[in-house]
Amino acid sequence: MILPILILLVALVAVVIALVLRGRRSGQSSSGRDERAPKDPFDTTDQDALRGDPRSLTAGDIVEIRGMSYTVRGTLRLSEGSWRWAEHLLDDAKGTQVWLGVEEDPDLVLTQWTPVETDEVPTPGPAKLGFGEREFRSEESGTARFSSEATTGLDEAGNVRYHDYEASDGTMLGFESFDGADWEATLGEELTRYDVRIYPASA
């Protein structure tokens, strides 16, 4: 009578051990597949965690560009078809203003735009423009819708015409005309992710 019971207990223990081992192998296999899953080599998640996410900038945030600190005064959200991007008005303690362009194309692109304080800027349109000591070639142009947040000096919403040029050294010359107003010119420089650090106002 005891022997059959012992045999039954041994069989039950063997079944339990087999199930546990199979579960462990399955978990290890799943973990291995997750670790081997392809990842975007240009993903900025780690940098966003360390330096702040430019995509989430809002008025009041502090933006540090190459050691210079600015406050976000306001933001323009722009759209042209399915293309979306943002331009943030930044102001330092001395009243110097620049714009920070943020777009994904498909990688994150950051551009600092500085207003041109001269009336000698040529009118956009030609395939080539000379300004300063550089020759600029037309890159793209179009019309977009914009909405304005906080302080930008513009209406809450409207249309903007734009025309962007680029020189051989990478310097950009941008033109914008808001709701039919005169063209405004800015000189642009593309920034790396390491040039920009963000300190959210809510932090």
Short mmCIF file of all heavy atoms in Angstrom, two decimals, residues 15-76:
data_model
loop_
_atom_site.label_atom_id
_atom_site.label_comp_id
_atom_site.label_asym_id
_atom_site.label_seq_id
_atom_site.Cartn_x
_atom_site.Cartn_y
_atom_site.Cartn_z
N VAL A 15 6.67 15.81 -12.39
CA VAL A 15 5.86 16.68 -13.26
C VAL A 15 6.03 18.14 -12.88
O VAL A 15 6.19 19.02 -13.74
CB VAL A 15 4.37 16.27 -13.16
CG1 VAL A 15 3.49 17.32 -13.87
CG2 VAL A 15 4.15 14.90 -13.78
N VAL A 16 6.01 18.44 -11.57
CA VAL A 16 6.18 19.83 -11.11
C VAL A 16 7.53 20.37 -11.53
O VAL A 16 7.65 21.51 -12.02
CB VAL A 16 6.01 19.90 -9.57
CG1 VAL A 16 6.41 21.29 -9.07
CG2 VAL A 16 4.57 19.60 -9.19
N ILE A 17 8.60 19.58 -11.35
CA ILE A 17 9.95 20.02 -11.72
C ILE A 17 10.02 20.30 -13.22
O ILE A 17 10.61 21.29 -13.67
CB ILE A 17 10.99 18.96 -11.31
CG1 ILE A 17 11.08 18.90 -9.77
CG2 ILE A 17 12.35 19.28 -11.91
CD1 ILE A 17 11.98 17.79 -9.26
N ALA A 18 9.41 19.42 -14.01
CA ALA A 18 9.43 19.60 -15.46
C ALA A 18 8.73 20.90 -15.87
O ALA A 18 9.21 21.65 -16.74
CB ALA A 18 8.77 18.41 -16.15
N LEU A 19 7.61 21.21 -15.25
CA LEU A 19 6.88 22.43 -15.56
C LEU A 19 7.67 23.68 -15.19
O LEU A 19 7.69 24.68 -15.91
CB LEU A 19 5.52 22.43 -14.86
CG LEU A 19 4.49 21.42 -15.37
CD1 LEU A 19 3.25 21.42 -14.47
CD2 LEU A 19 4.10 21.73 -16.81
N VAL A 20 8.32 23.65 -14.03
CA VAL A 20 9.12 24.79 -13.57
C VAL A 20 10.28 25.04 -14.53
O VAL A 20 10.56 26.19 -14.92
CB VAL A 20 9.63 24.56 -12.14
CG1 VAL A 20 10.68 25.62 -11.77
CG2 VAL A 20 8.48 24.58 -11.15
N LEU A 21 10.97 23.98 -14.92
CA LEU A 21 12.11 24.13 -15.83
C LEU A 21 11.67 24.68 -17.19
O LEU A 21 12.33 25.54 -17.76
CB LEU A 21 12.82 22.79 -16.00
CG LEU A 21 13.58 22.27 -14.77
CD1 LEU A 21 14.16 20.89 -15.04
CD2 LEU A 21 14.69 23.25 -14.39
N ARG A 22 10.54 24.19 -17.70
CA ARG A 22 10.05 24.67 -18.98
C ARG A 22 9.69 26.16 -18.89
O ARG A 22 9.96 26.95 -19.80
CB ARG A 22 8.83 23.88 -19.42
CG ARG A 22 8.33 24.34 -20.77
CD ARG A 22 7.43 23.36 -21.48
NE ARG A 22 6.56 22.63 -20.59
CZ ARG A 22 5.58 21.84 -21.06
NH1 ARG A 22 5.40 21.70 -22.35
NH2 ARG A 22 4.80 21.17 -20.22
N GLY A 23 9.10 26.60 -17.78
CA GLY A 23 8.76 28.00 -17.59
C GLY A 23 9.99 28.88 -17.57
O GLY A 23 10.02 29.97 -18.15
N ARG A 24 11.06 28.41 -16.92
CA ARG A 24 12.29 29.20 -16.85
C ARG A 24 12.92 29.34 -18.24
O ARG A 24 13.39 30.41 -18.62
CB ARG A 24 13.28 28.54 -15.89
CG ARG A 24 12.92 28.70 -14.43
CD ARG A 24 13.97 28.08 -13.55
NE ARG A 24 13.65 28.28 -12.13
CZ ARG A 24 14.40 27.80 -11.14
NH1 ARG A 24 15.47 27.07 -11.40
NH2 ARG A 24 14.05 28.03 -9.89
N ARG A 25 12.95 28.22 -19.00
CA ARG A 25 13.53 28.28 -20.34
C ARG A 25 12.74 29.23 -21.23
O ARG A 25 13.31 29.98 -22.02
CB ARG A 25 13.56 26.88 -20.95
CG ARG A 25 14.65 25.98 -20.39
CD ARG A 25 14.86 24.79 -21.31
NE ARG A 25 13.67 23.95 -21.36
CZ ARG A 25 13.45 22.91 -20.54
NH1 ARG A 25 14.33 22.63 -19.60
NH2 ARG A 25 12.35 22.20 -20.67
N SER A 26 11.41 29.20 -21.09
CA SER A 26 10.57 30.09 -21.89
C SER A 26 10.84 31.55 -21.56
O SER A 26 10.93 32.40 -22.44
CB SER A 26 9.09 29.76 -21.64
OG SER A 26 8.26 30.67 -22.33
N GLY A 27 10.98 31.86 -20.26
CA GLY A 27 11.25 33.23 -19.84
C GLY A 27 12.60 33.71 -20.34
O GLY A 27 12.75 34.84 -20.80
N GLN A 28 13.62 32.82 -20.27
CA GLN A 28 14.95 33.20 -20.73
C GLN A 28 14.94 33.43 -22.24
O GLN A 28 15.56 34.36 -22.75
CB GLN A 28 15.95 32.11 -20.36
CG GLN A 28 16.21 32.02 -18.86
CD GLN A 28 17.07 30.81 -18.49
OE1 GLN A 28 17.34 29.96 -19.33
NE2 GLN A 28 17.47 30.74 -17.24
N SER A 29 14.21 32.56 -22.97
CA SER A 29 14.13 32.72 -24.42
C SER A 29 13.47 34.02 -24.80
O SER A 29 13.92 34.75 -25.68
CB SER A 29 13.36 31.54 -25.01
OG SER A 29 13.18 31.72 -26.40
N SER A 30 12.36 34.38 -24.10
CA SER A 30 11.66 35.64 -24.36
C SER A 30 12.54 36.83 -24.07
O SER A 30 12.60 37.79 -24.81
CB SER A 30 10.38 35.69 -23.53
OG SER A 30 9.75 36.94 -23.68
N SER A 31 13.29 36.75 -22.94
CA SER A 31 14.19 37.84 -22.57
C SER A 31 15.27 38.02 -23.61
O SER A 31 15.64 39.13 -23.99
CB SER A 31 14.81 37.57 -21.20
OG SER A 31 15.76 38.55 -20.88
N GLY A 32 15.78 36.89 -24.12
CA GLY A 32 16.82 36.96 -25.14
C GLY A 32 16.31 37.62 -26.40
O GLY A 32 17.01 38.41 -27.03
N ARG A 33 15.07 37.29 -26.79
CA ARG A 33 14.50 37.91 -27.98
C ARG A 33 14.34 39.41 -27.79
O ARG A 33 14.58 40.19 -28.69
CB ARG A 33 13.14 37.27 -28.30
CG ARG A 33 13.26 35.87 -28.92
CD ARG A 33 11.92 35.47 -29.54
NE ARG A 33 10.85 35.39 -28.56
CZ ARG A 33 10.58 34.28 -27.87
NH1 ARG A 33 11.30 33.18 -28.02
NH2 ARG A 33 9.56 34.26 -27.01
N ASP A 34 13.92 39.84 -26.59
CA ASP A 34 13.76 41.27 -26.32
C ASP A 34 15.09 41.99 -26.43
O ASP A 34 15.18 43.09 -26.96
CB ASP A 34 13.15 41.49 -24.92
CG ASP A 34 11.70 41.02 -24.87
OD1 ASP A 34 11.10 40.86 -25.95
OD2 ASP A 34 11.19 40.81 -23.76
N GLU A 35 16.15 41.38 -25.89
CA GLU A 35 17.45 42.04 -25.91
C GLU A 35 18.00 42.15 -27.32
O GLU A 35 18.75 43.06 -27.64
CB GLU A 35 18.43 41.25 -25.02
CG GLU A 35 18.10 41.33 -23.53
CD GLU A 35 19.00 40.44 -22.69
OE1 GLU A 35 19.84 39.75 -23.30
OE2 GLU A 35 18.84 40.44 -21.46
N ARG A 36 17.63 41.18 -28.18
CA ARG A 36 18.14 41.19 -29.54
C ARG A 36 17.27 42.01 -30.48
O ARG A 36 17.58 42.14 -31.66
CB ARG A 36 18.25 39.76 -30.06
CG ARG A 36 19.32 38.92 -29.37
CD ARG A 36 19.54 37.63 -30.12
NE ARG A 36 18.34 36.81 -30.18
CZ ARG A 36 18.02 35.90 -29.27
NH1 ARG A 36 18.81 35.70 -28.23
NH2 ARG A 36 16.91 35.18 -29.39
N ALA A 37 16.17 42.55 -30.00
CA ALA A 37 15.26 43.32 -30.85
C ALA A 37 15.99 44.54 -31.43
O ALA A 37 16.74 45.21 -30.72
CB ALA A 37 14.04 43.77 -30.06
N PRO A 38 15.81 44.84 -32.72
CA PRO A 38 16.49 45.98 -33.34
C PRO A 38 16.12 47.29 -32.66
O PRO A 38 14.97 47.51 -32.30
CB PRO A 38 15.97 45.94 -34.79
CG PRO A 38 15.46 44.57 -34.99
CD PRO A 38 14.96 44.10 -33.66
N LYS A 39 17.11 48.16 -32.51
CA LYS A 39 16.88 49.48 -31.92
C LYS A 39 17.42 50.55 -32.85
O LYS A 39 18.45 50.36 -33.51
CB LYS A 39 17.56 49.58 -30.55
CG LYS A 39 16.98 48.64 -29.50
CD LYS A 39 17.65 48.82 -28.15
CE LYS A 39 17.04 47.91 -27.10
NZ LYS A 39 17.69 48.05 -25.78
N ASP A 40 16.74 51.69 -32.90
CA ASP A 40 17.17 52.81 -33.73
C ASP A 40 18.50 53.35 -33.17
O ASP A 40 18.54 53.83 -32.03
CB ASP A 40 16.11 53.90 -33.71
CG ASP A 40 16.44 55.07 -34.62
OD1 ASP A 40 17.58 55.12 -35.14
OD2 ASP A 40 15.58 55.94 -34.81
N PRO A 41 19.59 53.30 -33.94
CA PRO A 41 20.89 53.78 -33.42
C PRO A 41 20.92 55.28 -33.18
O PRO A 41 21.80 55.77 -32.50
CB PRO A 41 21.88 53.37 -34.53
CG PRO A 41 21.04 53.28 -35.77
CD PRO A 41 19.70 52.78 -35.31
N PHE A 42 19.96 56.02 -33.75
CA PHE A 42 19.92 57.46 -33.57
C PHE A 42 18.83 57.90 -32.60
O PHE A 42 18.51 59.09 -32.52
CB PHE A 42 19.73 58.16 -34.93
CG PHE A 42 20.86 57.90 -35.90
CD1 PHE A 42 20.70 57.00 -36.94
CD2 PHE A 42 22.07 58.53 -35.74
CE1 PHE A 42 21.73 56.75 -37.82
CE2 PHE A 42 23.11 58.29 -36.63
CZ PHE A 42 22.95 57.39 -37.67
N ASP A 43 18.25 56.95 -31.88
CA ASP A 43 17.22 57.28 -30.90
C ASP A 43 17.79 58.22 -29.84
O ASP A 43 18.91 58.04 -29.38
CB ASP A 43 16.70 56.00 -30.24
CG ASP A 43 15.60 56.28 -29.25
OD1 ASP A 43 14.49 56.59 -29.67
OD2 ASP A 43 15.88 56.20 -28.03
N THR A 44 17.02 59.26 -29.46
CA THR A 44 17.52 60.28 -28.52
C THR A 44 16.92 60.15 -27.13
O THR A 44 17.06 61.06 -26.32
CB THR A 44 17.20 61.69 -29.06
OG1 THR A 44 15.77 61.85 -29.13
CG2 THR A 44 17.81 61.93 -30.42
N THR A 45 16.30 58.99 -26.83
CA THR A 45 15.63 58.84 -25.54
C THR A 45 16.58 59.09 -24.38
O THR A 45 16.24 59.80 -23.41
CB THR A 45 15.02 57.44 -25.42
OG1 THR A 45 14.08 57.25 -26.49
CG2 THR A 45 14.30 57.29 -24.09
N ASP A 46 17.79 58.52 -24.44
CA ASP A 46 18.75 58.70 -23.34
C ASP A 46 19.15 60.16 -23.20
O ASP A 46 19.24 60.69 -22.08
CB ASP A 46 19.99 57.83 -23.57
CG ASP A 46 19.69 56.36 -23.43
OD1 ASP A 46 18.66 56.02 -22.82
OD2 ASP A 46 20.48 55.54 -23.93
N GLN A 47 19.41 60.84 -24.32
CA GLN A 47 19.80 62.24 -24.26
C GLN A 47 18.64 63.12 -23.78
O GLN A 47 18.86 64.09 -23.06
CB GLN A 47 20.27 62.72 -25.64
CG GLN A 47 21.66 62.25 -26.01
CD GLN A 47 22.69 62.72 -25.00
OE1 GLN A 47 22.69 63.89 -24.58
NE2 GLN A 47 23.55 61.82 -24.57
N ASP A 48 17.42 62.76 -24.16
CA ASP A 48 16.26 63.52 -23.69
C ASP A 48 16.15 63.43 -22.18
O ASP A 48 15.79 64.39 -21.50
CB ASP A 48 14.98 63.01 -24.34
CG ASP A 48 14.96 63.26 -25.84
OD1 ASP A 48 15.72 64.12 -26.30
OD2 ASP A 48 14.18 62.59 -26.54
N ALA A 49 16.45 62.24 -21.63
CA ALA A 49 16.37 62.06 -20.18
C ALA A 49 17.45 62.87 -19.47
O ALA A 49 17.22 63.42 -18.39
CB ALA A 49 16.50 60.58 -19.83
N LEU A 50 18.63 62.97 -20.08
CA LEU A 50 19.75 63.67 -19.45
C LEU A 50 19.71 65.18 -19.68
O LEU A 50 20.03 65.96 -18.79
CB LEU A 50 21.08 63.12 -19.98
CG LEU A 50 21.45 61.70 -19.58
CD1 LEU A 50 22.69 61.24 -20.34
CD2 LEU A 50 21.70 61.61 -18.08
N ARG A 51 19.30 65.61 -20.89
CA ARG A 51 19.41 67.01 -21.28
C ARG A 51 18.07 67.70 -21.50
O ARG A 51 18.04 68.89 -21.83
CB ARG A 51 20.27 67.13 -22.55
CG ARG A 51 21.61 66.41 -22.47
CD ARG A 51 22.43 66.60 -23.73
NE ARG A 51 22.93 67.96 -23.81
CZ ARG A 51 24.05 68.38 -23.23
NH1 ARG A 51 24.78 67.55 -22.51
NH2 ARG A 51 24.45 69.63 -23.37
N GLY A 52 16.95 66.97 -21.31
CA GLY A 52 15.63 67.55 -21.54
C GLY A 52 15.18 67.32 -22.97
O GLY A 52 16.01 67.20 -23.88
N ASP A 53 13.89 67.26 -23.18
CA ASP A 53 13.33 66.96 -24.49
C ASP A 53 12.90 68.25 -25.20
O ASP A 53 11.95 68.90 -24.78
CB ASP A 53 12.13 66.02 -24.33
CG ASP A 53 11.60 65.54 -25.66
OD1 ASP A 53 12.10 66.00 -26.70
OD2 ASP A 53 10.68 64.70 -25.65
N PRO A 54 13.57 68.64 -26.29
CA PRO A 54 13.21 69.87 -27.00
C PRO A 54 11.80 69.84 -27.56
O PRO A 54 11.20 70.89 -27.79
CB PRO A 54 14.24 69.93 -28.13
CG PRO A 54 15.37 69.06 -27.69
CD PRO A 54 14.74 67.97 -26.89
N ARG A 55 11.24 68.65 -27.78
CA ARG A 55 9.91 68.54 -28.35
C ARG A 55 8.82 69.03 -27.39
O ARG A 55 7.71 69.33 -27.81
CB ARG A 55 9.62 67.08 -28.73
CG ARG A 55 10.64 66.46 -29.68
CD ARG A 55 10.39 64.97 -29.80
NE ARG A 55 11.46 64.24 -30.44
CZ ARG A 55 12.58 63.83 -29.83
NH1 ARG A 55 12.76 64.09 -28.55
NH2 ARG A 55 13.50 63.16 -30.49
N SER A 56 9.14 69.07 -26.09
CA SER A 56 8.13 69.44 -25.09
C SER A 56 8.35 70.84 -24.52
O SER A 56 7.80 71.16 -23.48
CB SER A 56 8.14 68.40 -23.96
OG SER A 56 9.40 68.35 -23.32
N LEU A 57 9.13 71.67 -25.18
CA LEU A 57 9.38 73.03 -24.69
C LEU A 57 8.10 73.85 -24.60
O LEU A 57 7.25 73.80 -25.49
CB LEU A 57 10.36 73.76 -25.62
CG LEU A 57 11.86 73.51 -25.40
CD1 LEU A 57 12.66 74.19 -26.50
CD2 LEU A 57 12.29 74.03 -24.04
N THR A 58 7.98 74.62 -23.52
CA THR A 58 6.86 75.54 -23.35
C THR A 58 7.37 76.83 -22.72
O THR A 58 8.50 76.89 -22.22
CB THR A 58 5.75 74.94 -22.45
OG1 THR A 58 6.32 74.62 -21.17
CG2 THR A 58 5.16 73.68 -23.07
N ALA A 59 6.53 77.87 -22.74
CA ALA A 59 6.90 79.17 -22.18
C ALA A 59 7.33 79.03 -20.73
O ALA A 59 6.69 78.33 -19.94
CB ALA A 59 5.74 80.13 -22.30
N GLY A 60 8.44 79.69 -20.39
CA GLY A 60 8.96 79.65 -19.03
C GLY A 60 10.12 78.69 -18.85
O GLY A 60 10.89 78.82 -17.89
N ASP A 61 10.26 77.73 -19.76
CA ASP A 61 11.40 76.80 -19.67
C ASP A 61 12.70 77.55 -19.94
O ASP A 61 12.73 78.56 -20.65
CB ASP A 61 11.26 75.67 -20.70
CG ASP A 61 10.12 74.72 -20.37
OD1 ASP A 61 9.62 74.78 -19.23
OD2 ASP A 61 9.75 73.91 -21.24
N ILE A 62 13.77 77.05 -19.36
CA ILE A 62 15.11 77.61 -19.59
C ILE A 62 15.83 76.72 -20.62
O ILE A 62 15.86 75.50 -20.48
CB ILE A 62 15.94 77.68 -18.29
CG1 ILE A 62 15.19 78.51 -17.24
CG2 ILE A 62 17.33 78.26 -18.57
CD1 ILE A 62 14.95 79.94 -17.63
N VAL A 63 16.40 77.36 -21.63
CA VAL A 63 17.17 76.65 -22.66
C VAL A 63 18.60 77.16 -22.63
O VAL A 63 18.83 78.37 -22.74
CB VAL A 63 16.56 76.86 -24.06
CG1 VAL A 63 17.40 76.14 -25.11
CG2 VAL A 63 15.12 76.38 -24.10
N GLU A 64 19.53 76.25 -22.49
CA GLU A 64 20.94 76.60 -22.51
C GLU A 64 21.53 76.14 -23.83
O GLU A 64 21.49 74.96 -24.17
CB GLU A 64 21.67 75.93 -21.34
CG GLU A 64 23.12 76.37 -21.18
CD GLU A 64 23.78 75.70 -19.99
OE1 GLU A 64 23.59 76.19 -18.85
OE2 GLU A 64 24.44 74.67 -20.19
N ILE A 65 22.07 77.09 -24.60
CA ILE A 65 22.68 76.78 -25.88
C ILE A 65 24.16 77.16 -25.82
O ILE A 65 24.49 78.34 -25.72
CB ILE A 65 22.00 77.53 -27.04
CG1 ILE A 65 20.51 77.18 -27.09
CG2 ILE A 65 22.67 77.21 -28.37
CD1 ILE A 65 19.74 77.94 -28.16
N ARG A 66 25.01 76.14 -25.82
CA ARG A 66 26.45 76.36 -25.76
C ARG A 66 26.84 77.30 -24.63
O ARG A 66 27.64 78.22 -24.80
CB ARG A 66 26.96 76.89 -27.10
CG ARG A 66 26.79 75.90 -28.24
CD ARG A 66 27.15 76.49 -29.58
NE ARG A 66 27.00 75.51 -30.64
CZ ARG A 66 27.04 75.81 -31.93
NH1 ARG A 66 27.20 77.07 -32.32
NH2 ARG A 66 26.90 74.87 -32.85
N GLY A 67 26.24 77.08 -23.48
CA GLY A 67 26.58 77.84 -22.29
C GLY A 67 25.80 79.12 -22.10
O GLY A 67 25.88 79.73 -21.03
N MET A 68 25.03 79.55 -23.10
CA MET A 68 24.22 80.76 -22.98
C MET A 68 22.81 80.37 -22.56
O MET A 68 22.20 79.49 -23.17
CB MET A 68 24.17 81.51 -24.31
CG MET A 68 25.52 82.06 -24.76
SD MET A 68 26.11 83.40 -23.70
CE MET A 68 24.86 84.65 -24.03
N SER A 69 22.28 81.04 -21.54
CA SER A 69 20.96 80.69 -21.02
C SER A 69 19.88 81.63 -21.56
O SER A 69 20.06 82.85 -21.59
CB SER A 69 20.96 80.74 -19.49
OG SER A 69 21.78 79.72 -18.97
N TYR A 70 18.77 81.03 -21.97
CA TYR A 70 17.63 81.78 -22.49
C TYR A 70 16.36 81.28 -21.82
O TYR A 70 16.30 80.15 -21.34
CB TYR A 70 17.48 81.58 -24.00
CG TYR A 70 18.67 82.01 -24.83
CD1 TYR A 70 19.70 81.11 -25.10
CD2 TYR A 70 18.74 83.28 -25.36
CE1 TYR A 70 20.78 81.48 -25.89
CE2 TYR A 70 19.82 83.67 -26.16
CZ TYR A 70 20.84 82.76 -26.40
OH TYR A 70 21.91 83.13 -27.18
N THR A 71 15.34 82.14 -21.83
CA THR A 71 14.01 81.75 -21.36
C THR A 71 13.07 81.68 -22.55
O THR A 71 13.10 82.56 -23.42
CB THR A 71 13.46 82.77 -20.34
OG1 THR A 71 14.36 82.86 -19.23
CG2 THR A 71 12.08 82.34 -19.84
N VAL A 72 12.24 80.65 -22.59
CA VAL A 72 11.26 80.55 -23.66
C VAL A 72 10.15 81.56 -23.42
O VAL A 72 9.44 81.50 -22.41
CB VAL A 72 10.66 79.13 -23.74
CG1 VAL A 72 9.62 79.06 -24.86
CG2 VAL A 72 11.75 78.09 -23.98
N ARG A 73 10.00 82.53 -24.34
CA ARG A 73 8.96 83.54 -24.22
C ARG A 73 7.65 83.07 -24.83
O ARG A 73 6.55 83.41 -24.36
CB ARG A 73 9.40 84.84 -24.92
CG ARG A 73 10.61 85.51 -24.29
CD ARG A 73 10.23 86.22 -23.00
NE ARG A 73 9.12 87.14 -23.16
CZ ARG A 73 9.22 88.39 -23.64
NH1 ARG A 73 10.40 88.86 -24.01
NH2 ARG A 73 8.16 89.17 -23.71
N GLY A 74 7.75 82.35 -25.93
CA GLY A 74 6.56 81.89 -26.62
C GLY A 74 6.93 80.89 -27.70
O GLY A 74 8.11 80.66 -27.97
N THR A 75 5.91 80.31 -28.32
CA THR A 75 6.14 79.24 -29.30
C THR A 75 5.18 79.36 -30.48
O THR A 75 4.01 79.69 -30.31
CB THR A 75 5.93 77.87 -28.63
OG1 THR A 75 6.91 77.68 -27.62
CG2 THR A 75 6.04 76.74 -29.65
N LEU A 76 5.71 79.10 -31.66
CA LEU A 76 4.90 78.96 -32.86
C LEU A 76 4.84 77.48 -33.22
O LEU A 76 5.87 76.82 -33.32
CB LEU A 76 5.51 79.73 -34.03
CG LEU A 76 5.56 81.25 -33.92
CD1 LEU A 76 6.23 81.83 -35.17
CD2 LEU A 76 4.16 81.83 -33.75
#
